[in-house]
Amino acid sequence: MTTFTDVFERKEVKYRLDARQHRAMAAALRGRMAPDAFGRTRIVSRYFDTPERALIERSLDKPLYKEKLRLRSYGSPQAGDRVFVEIKKKYKGIVYKRRVGCSLAAAEAYLGGESYEQACARFPLPDPAMAAESLSPRSVQIAREVDEFIARYRPLRPSMLIECERVAYASIATIAAAAGGGATGLRALGDVPDDLRITFDAGIAYGDLFARDAGAASHPLLPDGDAVMEIKSSGPFPLWLVRALDACEAYPTSFSKYGEAYRACMAAHRGASSFATARASQAAAEQKAERFAAALRGRRPRRFRAPSHTPTRC
């Protein structure tokens, strides 16, 4: 049985990378980190929102606390495959995730109004251990939290479909430990925190589920070769990672896939003909401003010299 983590509490920092930066950061990980057991994965997320899309509207205002609900799957799941109903919360820069794993059919029944326990019992996972885990006391407790979220924002409906190709990196030592200490064919350097995770999301596309022709995620959000890198850690970044970020001039940025997709939908609705070009220009301007701010922070303060003053007679 493939285990999964149902609770997260960590800092997640995002970086929007162009093709050059993407290659440079991937190269910087060699010898320290490697793709984890899942390798390259197709991630499909279905976000839920109110009919007015109040959740994403509030999220884009960058409040101190925000939360969202999504149905996440890996690959192209069938009715009996495991998916995850997930609440994602962010408070003062720290991300908290709570999720339950169940079959796709059970998740859709649950989010459609059926009780979590009844949905899991009616559409159990084929693997007996996974089916038991979906109804464990811990999973039921998390489902109660999802129930409270749904009640707080009712009515909710599918709002946006987001797809991407993800490569997730973990420390080589962690990968070896997960493999039972066996040979992995990789030599590791010992300056990588055990909980450090780095993901690269490319090929990000969206589909507006509020649209009349709602369907697949067929609208790209990034140019070819670009990626969103996310560094996930509960502590400070190691020095080698900080230097790699500095070398390729990668700076933290605010990038919400759902938020960017929503902005794209609004721009398309207003008749914007070249939204992708406008967003690329805006992103370039933001990175330029971030580099300028970083340069200012690293510059020594100028000494103040009082101007010479010659007294004059009254």
Side-chain angles (χ1 to χ4, degrees):
M1 180 183 69
T2 302
T3 60
F4 72 95
T5 304
D6 55 5
V7 177
F8 297 86
E9 179 182 346
R10 62 195 180 191
K11 188 173 184 179
E12 299 181 352
V13 184
K14 295 180 181 178
Y15 301 79
R16 176 169 173 170
L17 308 179
D18 59 27
R20 177 190 64 82
Q21 293 170 318
H22 187 184
R23 291 191 298 269
M25 286 306 303
L29 303 184
R30 292 176 192 149
R32 292 183 169 90
M33 305 183 74
D36 63 14
F38 297 99
R40 181 179 294 273
T41 308
R42 179 171 174 265
I43 297 180
V44 181
S45 299
R46 192 189 311 171
Y47 289 85
F48 289 75
D49 213 324
T50 68
E52 302 80 20
R53 281 178 163 156
L55 288 173
I56 190 58
E57 283 278 4
R58 183 174 185 275
S59 177
L60 291 175
D61 288 338
K62 302 186 185 304
L64 190 64
Y65 172 81
K66 58 185 178 181
E67 56 187 352
K68 62 184 69 172
L69 174 67
R70 65 190 178 196
L71 175 61
R72 170 159 287 187
S73 62
Y74 299 87
S76 301
Q78 302 301 313
D81 293 337
R82 184 165 66 175
V83 298
F84 301 93
V85 179
E86 178 179 291
I87 298 175
K88 182 177 181 181
K89 306 178 182 183
K90 190 171 185 179
Y91 178 64
K92 290 186 176 180
I94 303 298
V95 174
Y96 304 85
K97 294 181 184 178
R98 308 276 286 175
R99 65 182 187 176
V100 290
C102 58
S103 70
L104 175 60
E108 291 179 336
Y110 172 44
L111 294 171
E114 195 169 328
S115 75
Y116 175 75
E117 293 91 326
Q118 183 177 349
C120 288
R122 195 155 67 95
F123 303 105
L125 288 162
D127 185 291
M130 288 185 181
E133 186 178 20
S134 69
L135 286 171
S136 67
R138 184 182 181 90
S139 293
V140 171
Q141 168 58 34
I142 295 174
R144 296 290 80 81
E145 296 176 32
V146 177
D147 291 343
E148 292 180 6
F149 182 103
I150 294 173
R152 186 158 57 248
Y153 296 108
R154 182 178 286 123
L156 293 174
R157 54 178 288 190
S159 173
M160 197 73 67
L161 188 67
I162 305 288
E163 297 183 8
C164 69
E165 296 290 332
R166 170 170 292 181
V167 181
Y169 285 77
S171 74
I172 293 175
T174 301
I175 294 172
T184 62
L186 299 171
R187 296 182 61 187
L189 298 176
D191 53 355
V192 183
D194 291 339
D195 68 338
L196 180 64
R197 298 289 185 275
I198 299 179
T199 60
F200 295 91
D201 291 348
I204 304 172
Y206 73 92
D208 183 3
L209 299 181
F210 277 17
R212 293 180 180 178
D213 57 346
S218 57
H219 305 287
L221 276 178
L222 297 178
D224 290 341
D226 286 15
V228 173
M229 179 180 69
E230 197 164 353
I231 301 178
K232 309 172 185 185
S233 176
S234 60
F237 296 171
L239 183 58
W240 63 265
L241 180 56
V242 175
R243 288 173 173 167
L245 292 168
D246 183 62
C248 70
E249 299 180 317
Y251 302 101
T253 187
S254 175
F255 188 96
S256 162
K257 298 182 186 72
Y258 181 20
E260 293 300 310
Y262 172 68
R263 284 173 171 155
C265 291
M266 293 300 99
H269 182 70
R270 290 192 298 266
S273 60
S274 57
F275 178 75
T277 302
R279 284 297 300 150
S281 299
Q282 180 181 348
E286 289 174 353
Q287 287 203 354
K288 185 176 180 180
E290 288 162 358
R291 286 195 293 269
F292 178 73
L296 288 179
R297 287 194 296 269
R299 184 181 298 171
R300 292 183 178 179
R302 297 174 61 184
R303 293 183 178 178
F304 175 79
R305 177 179 295 176
S308 59
H309 178 68
T310 303
T312 57
R313 294 180 179 178
C314 296

